[in-house]
Amino acid sequence: MSSSSCLDPDDDSSSPPYPQPHRWASLADRLNPNRPAFDPQLKASWKTIDKSERKRIISQDRKAIQALKARGTANPLPFQADPDDHCETSPVAYKHIAPLLNFIAERLGKKPHELEIYDPYYCAGGMVPHLAKLGFPKVYNKCEDFYEVISQKRVPSHDVVLTNPPYSGDHFDKLLTFLSENNKPALLLLPEHFSKNKSSLYSPDEFCFLTSPERYHYWTPQGMRPEKEVKKRKQHRNLVLGNRNSPFASHWFVYIGPIMTNESFLSLANGGYLPLVEGCRIHKKQDNIQPTTFKGSMRNDSEEDSGKKKRRRRRSKKQTEE
């Protein structure tokens, strides 16, 4: 989705000028044996490292942390954005559509690292390193007004559109208009409730749908929703990703028509040719999708029994403490 600030849109570097999720961890995390990024060699040698060198490492770490915290508020956006649209996609969601990107690359006669991906809606640039980590380094997601780019005929070269568009206003209408003229496959992350009620241009028959085994979290880079940050002081925070928002039911809308029919795509997917991430499913019709819960696609009897047991244990523990 869109955001309230951006980095330099003229910066053509392949990586944003802040630490990348798959390359960097804070010094505190690297020295803590209870953290995934723990570095035993650094921990063992830390006290023997020259004092000036330790000072340099600490200084670099602080600068990196400051850059991460400011990545969403560095400079004003060149377009208006609804604060509720200030969200970035979970890395898990990108992992789920990686097999589809591999498939599209193969159909186009390209290697995954050659596939040109276009996300026209800039937030804070987080999707670029997420996709690079998955083997897709050619991603165009810059701080610019998508609709101005269209009007000036500056749409970049690309093979597939991949985006979590703003849900507010008429953005969905405008995106569908662009896709109808673009003649490229597209993967759109949208809420389950998106339908013809949101846009008269939307036709569910033009899409297939990829669902995940659980709801996705969305992340707001720090400082982009200051009012909500004050109200939700206990909100889960991640230095790299930002502030975590409550998960809601959403799935990938797959527009594969420009390269093959939906029927052919579904046949390949259901025939095992397209290896999906465990728990993910491809659906022909949106009406066939069962509502997702916070921890799974549908709650079965065993999960319900497990929930009851947990509640009984909590009540028992509370009574014991009293």
Side-chain angles (χ1 to χ4, degrees):
M1 299 183 196
S2 58
S3 95
S4 62
S5 63
C6 64
L7 300 170
D8 183 1
D10 296 323
D11 181 4
D12 291 324
S13 60
S14 59
S15 299
Y18 50 81
Q20 303 305 293
H22 57 293
R23 300 177 186 172
W24 181 87
S26 69
L27 182 60
D29 285 345
R30 294 173 64 196
L31 293 175
N32 189 336
N34 297 319
R35 302 289 177 84
F38 175 58
D39 185 340
Q41 291 184 340
L42 178 63
K43 176 70 174 180
S45 62
W46 182 249
K47 291 184 178 181
T48 62
I49 295 176
D50 181 75
K51 186 176 181 179
S52 61
E53 177 63 12
R54 274 190 290 172
K55 187 175 181 179
R56 185 189 67 81
I57 294 173
I58 293 172
S59 176
Q60 287 185 335
D61 182 69
R62 288 174 178 170
K63 289 180 180 178
I65 291 173
Q66 290 173 356
L68 280 170
K69 289 183 176 181
R71 74 183 183 94
T73 56
N75 298 293
L77 278 177
F79 52 84
Q80 293 294 321
D82 188 319
D84 287 339
D85 289 334
H86 298 342
C87 292
E88 290 196 311
T89 303
S90 166
V92 174
Y94 290 122
K95 181 180 179 181
H96 288 167
I97 50 90
L100 274 67
L101 293 174
N102 285 323
F103 174 78
I104 292 171
E106 181 182 345
R107 295 291 298 185
L108 297 177
K110 291 189 171 186
K111 301 293 184 181
H113 69 271
E114 298 173 330
L115 188 70
E116 294 181 308
I117 300 171
Y118 179 35
D119 183 350
Y121 293 105
Y122 183 87
C123 185
M127 61 98 65
V128 176
H130 294 325
L131 286 170
K133 182 179 179 181
L134 294 169
F136 305 99
K138 290 192 173 183
V139 180
Y140 188 104
N141 178 232
K142 293 189 177 183
C143 184
E144 57 191 14
D145 188 331
F146 173 37
Y147 309 123
E148 184 177 280
V149 168
I150 295 175
S151 66
Q152 295 178 356
K153 298 182 179 180
R154 294 190 291 108
V155 175
S157 170
H158 63 281
D159 300 307
V160 57
V161 174
L162 168 61
T163 189
N164 168 22
Y167 302 156
S168 64
D170 60 352
H171 291 292
F172 191 42
D173 255 344
K174 292 179 177 179
L175 176 60
L176 291 176
T177 299
F178 170 73
L179 294 179
S180 67
E181 301 170 352
N182 191 44
N183 198 34
K184 303 281 187 181
L187 304 174
L188 316 178
L189 184 58
L190 297 166
E192 286 184 357
H193 65 264
F194 256 53
S195 65
K196 61 183 180 182
N197 296 327
K198 185 66 178 178
S199 171
S200 60
L201 300 177
Y202 171 66
S203 174
D205 293 335
E206 294 183 351
F207 293 86
C208 296
F209 307 91
L210 184 141
T211 59
S212 68
E214 61 187 47
R215 294 185 181 188
Y216 295 133
H217 284 283
Y218 292 82
W219 298 85
T220 299
Q222 187 169 328
M224 295 173 64
R225 286 180 177 175
E227 292 184 2
K228 292 190 176 183
E229 287 180 18
V230 171
K231 293 179 180 179
K232 298 183 178 180
R233 294 185 183 277
K234 294 183 179 180
Q235 186 178 29
H236 179 85
R237 290 175 171 81
N238 180 289
L239 182 58
V240 173
L241 300 176
N243 300 322
R244 190 176 71 183
N245 299 294
S246 298
F248 59 87
S250 56
H251 49 255
W252 289 98
F253 287 50
V254 181
Y255 179 57
I256 203 73
I259 60 174
M260 68 190 311
T261 65
N262 284 351
E263 289 72 19
S264 298
F265 175 69
L266 287 162
S267 177
L268 291 173
N270 295 330
Y273 180 81
L274 180 60
L276 300 176
V277 174
E278 184 177 359
C280 291
R281 299 286 184 271
I282 297 285
H283 304 267
K284 180 179 181 180
K285 295 182 178 296
Q286 194 173 8
D287 293 340
N288 295 339
I289 300 173
Q290 296 177 328
T292 53
T293 63
F294 287 97
K295 294 186 178 180
S297 58
M298 287 295 289
R299 195 173 188 181
N300 56 39
D301 293 339
S302 62
E303 290 173 328
E304 187 171 355
D305 291 342
S306 176
K308 290 179 179 179
K309 290 178 181 178
K310 289 180 179 179
R311 287 193 292 273
R312 283 198 295 268
R313 284 197 295 268
R314 284 198 295 267
R315 285 197 297 268
S316 176
K317 181 179 180 180
K318 186 176 180 180
Q319 291 172 357
T320 301
E321 292 175 347
E322 293 174 349

